[in-house]
Amino acid sequence: MKFQVTEDNSPYLDARGKIILNACPGSGKTSAIAYKLSLMNKESAKDYGAYSGIACLSFTNVAKEEIQEKFSAITGNQICYPNLISTIDSFINQYITLPFYYLLGLESPRPDIMTTVGFLDEVRLGNFSNKANQPLSRIYKPSELLIEYNGSYSWKGYVPKEESVDLGVFKRYAKTYKEWQFNRGYLNNDDSTYAAFQLLKRYPSIAKSLIQRFPYFIIDEAQDTSEIQYGIFDALVAAGLQHLEFVGDPYQSLYEFRNARPELFLKRFNDSENWISMNFNDCRRSSQYIVNTYSSLRNDGEKKILSISTHESNHKVKVLLYDDTKPNELLNQYYKIVNQDGKNVILVRGKTHLELFGAFSQPDSPWKSELASILIESAGHLKQNKLKSCIDLLRKFLVEIKFPGANYYDKKKRIDEIFADEATNILLYSFLRAMPSLDDTIGAWNKSITKCISEFFEIEIDLQLKKNKGKPYYEQNLMSLYFPDVSSVYPVSTIHKVKGMTFSSILLVLSDGGNNNTLSLSDFFLTNEFLTESQRLLYVALSRPETLCCIAIPDHISISEIVARLGVDFEFA
């Protein structure tokens, strides 16, 4: 792969220091980062020696792996020591929290960093109630408590309303659980980030040693960085870090539920005294009509995004009017106007439209316990050739039936033990091959799977099939219940899952409004404020296609309203 240096990207490639790059969709930012890594690699070796390198950090594993792939395609080599491509969470855990946690002087000198600390919900550390005398541990689950940048406490990032709970009581409740958790070293990634932030504040020498090891930092997808993560990088700058880059697009920030703070990206972007601010405004992905449509959601004062796509087609955005009681008619409309050989996708916001197109089904389970659901989910992953996911679920199932009274933390340790046990893993693979087919009735499958469990694991178990449902219920086909036929020939996906991806065409399905779990035409309404979450979802969805963008709008919405919201760069299909 030959990387093309252009007038749009060359200022960024040449720049060094504290840089904020605001890159529009399809601008080739990932390739630019990878190419710049190859340049900085030589500089770092020359200026800092063979044992210092570049830390390139991104928000997700998918984004991290994309940078690695681009680097290999451009250079023909793998990124290697002393350089690092990693997620932010992994970097913080590996280079700050785990090696230096002992300096905090807590009971546990080394923490166990987990994906979730759900076991906390089973721990009782006192009686804390709201103003209705309800236990706080039931309303504000301990596993979802957070310590904020300033040391305050929140639940899922929000402070409870004072009319519901005395905030002093909430603070004591949160502090009790967090102190217990940190003392014992039971951390999730948010906890680890806070611990790392405290370590850097108390011991600047840690920051200085990190700078010696990594004199260059590039933070990809920086629009999703949290306030505490920014605090960690600020601490590195205070300790002498000279080369720090934040690369992203605040309009594509979709992870506020994970404490993303796009406004902090913009704050730095607008701070010309301390940061070098740059833009990528050339879009290689989409035609100009598509660019114009999602650009309508951007602030008026920003530089126009220019399509430099080499695709021949430049269709106007197409509006498909549809009756939400007849989804197949909408699919037929879409089918007639797309390139059948292209990469096409139907995009929705959430469960409502996933179910409308038969791509998502979450029926009321016929069983009281979750054990049968774990097995069915494993079988579903097998249908998709996701063998690793199958076995991961079966390890969880085995621990659940062998140690039903264990808490979350103990169960996690047991799963780790099974992971390292070759004989047990072979047994699980054998069990997977022997599991009865889901293409059977609920009643028959329940008997077959219970017998299979007994034969393989020598455990007699009751999956707790709900009683008194009637014979017709138990004669339902399990496969049809859990995995109904998808009515679309194209994949149906939520917008979150396709962030960063490219398609030939997309069909974005809007609703008639009034539902926080869907998108509607009213979300195209702009104010002087930064985009809402719904508007950012629109922005991400509309910027995915190369040649054809289709928007499905309920047919009872007036033409005049559609024109008022979408402007003139569209046509009815």
Side-chain angles (χ1 to χ4, degrees):
M1 171 183 173
K2 183 177 176 59
F3 179 78
Q4 183 180 6
V5 179
T6 67
E7 290 185 10
D8 193 46
N9 62 34
S10 61
Y12 166 70
L13 299 173
D14 294 338
R16 302 292 183 270
K18 292 170 60 183
I19 298 165
I20 301 280
L21 173 63
N22 190 340
C24 75
S27 61
K29 77 167 177 65
T30 304
S31 295
I33 289 173
Y35 183 74
K36 191 169 186 177
L37 280 173
S38 68
L39 301 177
M40 294 166 68
N41 183 25
K42 299 172 184 176
E43 295 173 19
S44 179
K46 177 183 176 182
D47 297 340
Y48 297 97
Y51 302 104
S52 297
I54 308 144
C56 182
L57 312 179
S58 195
F59 190 68
T60 64
N61 282 311
V62 172
K64 175 198 75 174
E65 289 162 4
E66 187 180 2
I67 295 172
Q68 290 174 326
E69 290 170 3
K70 294 289 186 183
F71 183 88
S72 297
I74 291 170
T75 66
N77 299 309
Q78 296 290 326
I79 196 83
C80 60
Y81 179 89
N83 305 304
L84 174 73
I85 297 180
S86 176
T87 63
I88 294 179
D89 285 337
S90 179
F91 174 83
I92 290 171
N93 295 342
Q94 181 180 351
Y95 286 92
I96 307 176
T97 305
L98 287 171
F100 298 110
Y101 193 76
Y102 74 95
L103 293 173
L104 295 176
L106 301 171
E107 292 177 17
S108 174
R110 184 176 173 85
D112 188 354
I113 301 174
M114 314 172 193
T115 303
T116 174
V117 287
F119 72 93
L120 277 177
D121 299 338
E122 303 172 19
V123 177
R124 293 292 172 260
L125 299 176
N127 298 314
F128 302 93
S129 301
N130 65 6
K131 292 183 178 180
N133 205 31
Q134 299 168 314
L136 293 187
S137 58
R138 292 184 183 177
I139 303 167
Y140 308 107
K141 291 184 177 181
S143 61
E144 295 169 332
L145 293 169
L146 295 171
I147 308 181
E148 299 292 344
Y149 175 82
N150 60 3
S152 64
Y153 300 96
S154 67
W155 184 74
K156 289 187 174 181
Y158 300 96
V159 177
K161 295 181 179 179
E162 197 161 7
E163 56 263 32
S164 301
V165 59
D166 184 293
L167 295 185
V169 173
F170 176 80
K171 179 180 178 180
R172 291 194 297 274
Y173 160 70
K175 183 178 181 182
T176 297
Y177 273 90
K178 282 300 175 187
E179 286 184 348
W180 184 91
Q181 188 185 345
F182 274 69
N183 261 316
R184 286 158 180 77
Y186 302 152
L187 310 183
N188 61 19
N189 283 317
D190 290 327
D191 299 320
S192 173
T193 301
Y194 181 78
F197 179 55
Q198 293 301 312
L199 285 164
L200 293 181
K201 285 205 306 183
R202 296 185 196 182
Y203 304 99
S205 59
I206 298 174
K208 290 178 180 178
S209 67
L210 279 173
I211 295 167
Q212 289 181 329
R213 175 66 178 84
F214 298 108
Y216 295 87
F217 277 83
I218 299 176
I219 314 304
D220 181 36
E221 300 291 339
Q223 74 275 356
D224 293 320
T225 305
S226 71
E227 187 171 18
I228 295 182
Q229 289 169 341
Y230 275 118
I232 287 174
F233 297 117
D234 288 344
L236 294 178
V237 169
L241 179 65
Q242 296 181 355
H243 302 286
L244 172 61
E245 301 182 5
F246 289 114
V247 181
D249 179 0
Y251 291 111
Q252 297 190 65
S253 179
L254 301 184
Y255 293 98
E256 282 185 295
F257 65 93
R258 292 179 59 181
N259 303 315
R261 295 289 299 276
E263 72 275 14
L264 296 180
F265 180 96
L266 289 171
K267 181 179 179 181
R268 285 162 173 76
F269 184 81
N270 294 322
D271 180 7
S272 58
E273 184 178 340
N274 295 298
W275 294 88
I276 303 170
S277 300
M278 298 182 166
N279 291 284
F280 279 179
N281 290 103
D282 287 353
C283 175
R284 292 167 167 76
R285 175 187 296 147
S286 305
S287 65
Q288 192 64 53
Y289 279 124
I290 294 172
V291 168
N292 292 345
T293 300
Y294 68 75
S295 292
S296 67
L297 295 164
R298 294 165 65 95
N299 292 334
D300 290 338
E302 293 184 282
K303 187 176 178 181
K304 182 178 179 180
I305 298 174
L306 178 65
S307 171
I308 58 169
S309 168
T310 57
H311 303 295
E312 293 181 1
S313 57
N314 187 22
H315 303 290
K316 284 189 175 184
V317 171
K318 295 189 182 296
V319 170
L320 284 64
L321 300 179
Y322 78 102
D323 180 344
D324 61 10
T325 66
K326 301 175 181 178
N328 283 331
E329 290 185 4
L330 171 60
L331 296 176
N332 288 335
Q333 287 187 72
Y334 182 52
Y335 184 85
K336 290 177 182 178
I337 61 178
V338 300
N339 177 359
Q340 303 302 321
D341 297 325
K343 187 178 180 183
N344 309 305
V345 67
I346 299 166
L347 296 180
V348 299
R349 177 166 186 174
K351 177 181 176 182
T352 301
H353 282 144
L354 283 172
E355 290 182 336
L356 179 66
F357 297 107
F360 180 87
S361 180
Q362 193 174 19
D364 290 333
S365 174
W367 292 270
K368 293 179 182 178
S369 81
E370 68 167 353
L371 294 174
S373 296
I374 295 174
L375 294 173
I376 292 168
E377 186 179 358
S378 178
H381 284 297
L382 185 62
K383 279 168 54 68
Q384 302 173 53
N385 295 316
K386 297 179 179 178
L387 190 58
K388 179 181 180 299
S389 300
C390 295
I391 300 302
D392 286 344
L393 286 164
L394 291 182
R395 291 190 190 105
K396 177 183 177 182
F397 173 79
L398 185 57
V399 169
E400 291 288 344
I401 64 174
K402 281 194 168 186
F403 310 98
N407 62 36
Y408 175 89
Y409 182 63
D410 289 338
K411 287 176 181 177
K412 182 180 181 300
K413 289 180 67 175
R414 298 289 187 180
I415 290 173
D416 291 341
E417 291 170 359
I418 291 174
F419 184 85
D421 185 341
E422 181 179 355
T424 303
N425 283 297
I426 291 173
L427 179 66
L428 290 175
Y429 279 105
S430 300
F431 174 75
L432 180 64
R433 290 195 294 269
M435 279 176 60
S437 170
L438 297 179
D439 192 14
D440 203 344
T441 65
I442 293 172
W445 184 86
N446 188 72
K447 290 180 181 179
S448 301
I449 193 66
T450 302
K451 181 180 178 182
C452 191
I453 293 166
S454 174
E455 291 175 350
F456 275 84
F457 306 119
E458 299 180 352
I459 296 175
E460 300 298 327
I461 188 170
D462 180 6
L463 294 177
Q464 300 179 13
L465 186 65
K466 294 174 183 177
K467 298 179 180 178
N468 304 320
K469 284 282 189 178
K471 187 176 180 181
Y473 180 84
Y474 298 120
E475 289 183 349
Q476 286 186 79
N477 184 276
L478 194 60
M479 179 71 79
S480 299
L481 183 65
Y482 275 86
F483 305 100
D485 291 335
V486 177
S487 54
S488 172
V489 295
Y490 305 120
V492 183
S493 174
T494 60
I495 298 167
H496 279 92
K497 290 184 178 179
V498 300
K499 185 170 176 283
M501 299 174 67
T502 298
F503 298 92
S504 303
S505 79
I506 64 113
L507 172 63
L508 173 62
V509 183
L510 303 184
S511 74
D512 57 3
N515 186 337
N516 290 333
N517 294 318
T518 57
L519 297 172
S520 69
L521 193 62
S522 62
D523 289 315
F524 280 87
F525 176 73
L526 295 181
T527 66
N528 292 326
E529 303 294 328
F530 186 63
L531 299 190
T532 65
E533 180 188 13
S534 294
Q535 289 169 332
R536 279 177 271 136
L537 284 165
L538 286 175
Y539 185 91
V540 169
L542 296 171
S543 60
R544 297 308 95 201
E546 293 176 324
T547 58
L548 179 62
C549 178
C550 301
I551 303 175
I553 298 175
D555 56 10
H556 60 79
I557 295 178
S558 69
I559 302 300
S560 60
E561 182 176 355
I562 295 173
V563 172
R565 298 287 186 180
L566 297 184
V568 296
D569 283 343
F570 79 92
E571 58 189 12
F572 290 99

